[in-house]
Amino acid sequence: MYIILVYDIDQKRVGKMLKLCRRYLNWIQNSVFEGELTEVKLKELLLKAKEIIDPSYDSIIIFSSRQEKWLDKQVVGLEKNNLDNMF
Amino acid sequence: MKKSYYLFNPGRISRRDNSLKFTPVDDLGTEGAPRYIPVESVDNLYTFGSLDANSALYNFLGKEQISVHFFDHYEHYTGSFMPKDFLLSGKVIIAQTEHYSNSSKRLSIASKFIEGAAFNILKNLRYYNNRDKDTSVQIDTISQMAPQISSAKSIEELMGVEGQIRLTYYQAFDLIINDFEMGTRTKQPPSNEINALISFLNMMCYTLCLDMIHHTQLNPTISFLHQPGYRRYSLALDLSEIFKPILVDRLIFSLLNKRQIQTQDFDHQLNSCLLKENGRKKVVKAWDDKLNETIKHRSLGRNVTYKHLIKLECYKLVKHILNIEEYKPFKAWW
């Protein structure tokens, strides 16, 4: 499953969320991550995320598609992080 | 799907927030912008540049089941960091050893490897024969040699047949590849572009097989075709025989004939020829794409990647040594 995850989280907790997301997905912009995840891994991520957030204030939105190829991506301006697997 | 990551740039990799952070370092020692690698998406790491890391990092990688493969300046495989074996099965190891020490059982497995390799080699030759490259001489010679595989009485004889087949096969390389001359196969060091590509990709194939074996209960040091010598994982060599024609050779043909790799991608020295950094990146990229290509598996009825195909081959081998189902080598059917 290919995933785009965005979050809007209070400053007090946002650092934790960033660290958690970095383990599972690639950072592409402030509060935006994308990457390939299995369904189980996504569940795992969300379970851990729920422990961090305050559901009455914070929100996480996930866009998912079956495969990366069903997703068109355009970058205007600076690409902050490219997702190559070669360094 | 977990991915392989390839590190060409020298730099430092470290554990950061329970994930991985890679900081590239240039020639002057100044650090570049760090890149974060999501640890849950890492299958394994291939390091071609010089890499700084501490034991805390390796402890972490070990826990996360991530292996690291190392290559030296001359693109030789130097070794791997492997997480602790987690799929242990005494039963399989005993059965595997038994199949090795019983010479008739060993011979039957070994000949299957060659059978698969020869079949896939012929597939490649036929493919190009249908595309205005006259490889009929090599096809005939190899087809005539094929019956010797099953009638071989010893491993040495089998190795002899395999050597002959490969020799004939390499002669066809000059017919198939357009603008390059291969001549004879030379290793240590490879003498020209084609030899350099063969050496490099064979090694990639070998590490891939090793990695896949580690995901099964098989013991990588006990092999059937190659002599299980010291200091190397010879079962990976056995397995790679079957897959080299499909993965490595086809990739070489298309890379060169489509001019994706050209003379300037190589570093020509006195009597050796090696890939330049940039060329190596292109080859590894193509290799990685190739491994993620899928084919519809006939008996499983679903799409599997080439990479997974190797793991399936290991499972078949396990089934064979446990006497559940007879091993049939993978044969390309398309």
Side-chain angles (χ1 to χ4, degrees):
Chain A
M1 204 158 38
Y2 202 77
I3 286 194
I4 299 165
L5 185 150
V6 295
Y7 56 68
D8 191 342
I9 284 173
D10 189 77
Q11 221 176 47
K12 279 180 271 175
R13 300 177 284 270
V14 74
K16 276 191 177 170
M17 193 63 203
L18 172 80
K19 286 174 186 174
L20 174 67
C21 289
R22 264 190 195 147
R23 290 187 53 191
Y24 291 84
L25 297 162
N26 294 295
W27 180 90
I28 45 171
Q29 234 176 41
N30 288 343
S31 4
V32 185
F33 284 81
E34 76 170 74
E36 178 82 36
L37 272 189
T38 60
E39 271 176 59
V40 179
K41 286 280 175 202
L42 178 63
K43 271 190 180 160
E44 195 179 298
L45 169 62
L46 290 180
L47 216 64
K48 285 176 183 164
K50 278 176 190 156
E51 284 175 17
I52 297 172
I53 61 167
D54 170 3
S56 60
Y57 185 86
D58 305 325
S59 81
I60 300 170
I61 302 174
I62 289 161
F63 303 89
S64 60
S65 70
R66 283 272 270 308
Q67 263 187 329
E68 194 181 354
K69 66 176 174 189
W70 305 122
L71 190 82
D72 286 326
K73 184 178 166 186
Q74 273 182 47
V75 180
V76 183
L78 177 71
E79 184 169 23
K80 294 201 168 177
N81 192 9
N82 73 354
L83 308 179
D84 210 4
N85 61 340
M86 279 179 227
F87 292 78
Chain B
M1 282 295 276
K2 292 193 170 188
K3 279 194 281 190
S4 301
Y5 283 81
Y6 302 89
L7 310 170
F8 290 95
N9 239 322
R12 177 165 187 83
I13 193 161
S14 51
R15 177 180 183 169
R16 182 71 183 275
D17 307 330
N18 269 330
S19 191
L20 303 173
K21 178 182 158 189
F22 179 74
T23 322
V25 177
D26 68 8
D27 299 337
L28 302 165
T30 41
E31 290 185 354
R35 296 260 315 255
Y36 292 88
I37 307 173
V39 70
E40 302 283 346
S41 78
V42 184
D43 190 14
N44 45 41
L45 298 169
Y46 288 82
T47 57
F48 294 95
S50 69
L51 186 73
D52 266 3
N54 58 15
S55 62
L57 187 264
Y58 285 107
N59 279 333
F60 180 56
L61 291 177
K63 272 187 201 137
E64 298 287 335
Q65 293 295 340
I66 297 168
S67 43
V68 191
H69 306 291
F70 299 97
F71 303 89
D72 70 4
H73 175 69
Y74 297 101
E75 300 158 359
H76 293 130
Y77 172 67
T78 46
S80 300
F81 162 78
M82 287 283 183
K84 183 177 71 110
D85 269 344
F86 61 107
L87 290 167
L88 292 172
S89 167
K91 205 172 151 192
V92 172
I93 294 180
I94 291 168
Q96 199 183 344
T97 326
E98 194 196 316
H99 276 260
Y100 164 70
S101 46
N102 181 325
S103 55
S104 70
K105 281 180 179 172
R106 181 182 170 192
L107 194 64
S108 88
I109 298 180
S111 61
K112 295 273 174 55
F113 287 136
I114 306 282
E115 192 190 310
F119 187 91
N120 293 331
I121 283 173
L122 278 173
K123 262 272 138 77
N124 276 358
L125 292 176
R126 291 216 180 91
Y127 175 89
Y128 280 97
N129 200 30
N130 290 337
R131 277 174 179 65
D132 309 327
K133 316 266 185 182
D134 187 20
T135 55
S136 51
V137 184
Q138 282 80 12
I139 294 176
D140 289 344
T141 327
I142 294 178
S143 312
Q144 276 164 18
M145 275 188 273
Q148 294 175 34
I149 297 169
S150 47
S151 66
K153 297 279 182 299
S154 66
I155 297 288
E156 288 72 30
E157 204 181 322
L158 204 57
M159 287 293 253
V161 180
E162 192 260 347
Q164 286 298 317
I165 291 176
R166 212 151 261 285
L167 205 67
T168 324
Y169 178 48
Y170 281 139
Q171 283 163 7
F173 273 44
D174 279 341
L175 299 169
I176 294 171
I177 298 167
N178 291 332
D179 302 323
F180 291 89
E181 275 299 315
M182 174 183 167
T184 52
R185 174 88 179 102
T186 46
K187 309 166 192 173
Q188 297 181 340
S191 60
N192 55 35
E193 289 88 351
I194 299 178
N195 275 304
L197 279 176
I198 296 176
S199 294
F200 182 67
L201 283 168
N202 275 353
M203 179 201 64
M204 292 300 284
C205 184
Y206 167 65
T207 36
L208 175 71
C209 290
L210 177 61
D211 210 64
M212 291 294 120
I213 292 170
H214 261 275
H215 286 92
T216 67
Q217 283 91 350
L218 290 169
N219 186 313
T221 54
I222 304 169
S223 59
F224 302 100
L225 173 62
H226 293 82
Q227 221 33 267
Y230 302 93
R231 291 179 230 115
R232 56 181 197 165
Y233 296 118
S234 31
L235 188 61
L237 297 176
D238 283 9
L239 269 182
S240 63
E241 287 296 332
I242 299 173
F243 291 98
K244 274 187 319 199
I246 304 167
L247 298 175
V248 173
D249 302 338
R250 286 189 184 196
L251 191 64
I252 293 173
F253 300 151
S254 79
L255 278 175
L256 291 175
N257 282 354
K258 287 183 183 162
R259 295 168 182 277
Q260 281 167 294
I261 290 283
Q262 294 178 333
T263 328
Q264 62 263 31
D265 289 316
F266 293 89
D267 194 1
H268 300 265
Q269 278 165 359
L270 193 58
N271 54 2
S272 77
C273 178
L274 292 168
L275 279 159
K276 275 185 195 160
E277 164 110 10
N278 225 341
R280 212 183 307 164
K281 268 188 189 166
K282 281 191 223 170
V283 175
V284 169
K285 178 96 180 66
W287 170 252
D288 198 53
D289 290 344
K290 179 99 191 165
L291 295 185
N292 289 322
E293 258 175 46
T294 55
I295 53 159
K296 178 111 179 172
H297 195 281
R298 278 184 164 177
S299 49
L300 292 179
R302 61 179 165 90
N303 288 330
V304 296
T305 59
Y306 281 113
K307 195 174 172 180
H308 192 66
L309 219 48
I310 298 181
K311 204 197 239 175
L312 292 175
E313 203 68 11
C314 297
Y315 291 152
K316 282 197 277 179
L317 209 56
V318 173
K319 277 192 167 175
H320 179 90
I321 59 176
L322 294 177
N323 296 321
I324 298 170
E325 194 183 315
E326 207 197 338
Y327 174 66
K328 287 198 202 81
F330 177 77
K331 292 176 178 176
W333 56 77
W334 59 93

